[in-house]
């Protein structure tokens, strides 16, 4: 959680979300893809300008990565 500067709705999987982060260059340092239907979460690709600490809140519908 945190450090999100954009939430994109066009990526449909975690690979596409990772690719979007790569295309952003140095601005994007990490990403989280949230699948549609995740309880209490907005689906899409969250691009982050910092590498956040690991969350202790489980999200089975989420996949995250760093550059």
């Amino acid at each position: 959680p945190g450090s999100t500067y954009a939430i994109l709705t066009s990526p449909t999987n975690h690979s596409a979300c990772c690719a979007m982060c790569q295309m952003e260059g140095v601005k994007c340092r990490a990403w989280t893809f949230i699948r549609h239907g995740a309880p209490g979460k907005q689906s899409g690709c969250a691009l982050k300008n910092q590498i956040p600490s690991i969350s202790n809140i489980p999200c089975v519908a989420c996949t995250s990565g760093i550059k």
Side-chain angles (χ1 to χ4, degrees):
S3 307
T4 300
Y5 70 86
I7 297 179
L8 310 175
T9 57
S10 58
T12 57
N13 57 54
H14 71 274
S15 296
C17 185
C18 177
M20 294 299 291
C21 185
Q22 294 293 332
M23 290 188 332
E24 286 284 301
V26 297
K27 183 175 184 178
C28 185
R29 305 218 26 229
W31 54 271
T32 297
F33 179 72
I34 305 162
R35 290 187 294 281
H36 180 70
K41 300 197 179 283
Q42 179 181 355
S43 63
C45 175
L47 302 181
K48 301 171 181 276
N49 58 14
Q50 296 179 21
I51 299 172
S53 55
I54 295 173
S55 173
N56 61 356
I57 302 169
C59 179
V60 294
C62 304
T63 304
S64 298
I66 61 172
K67 287 199 311 192

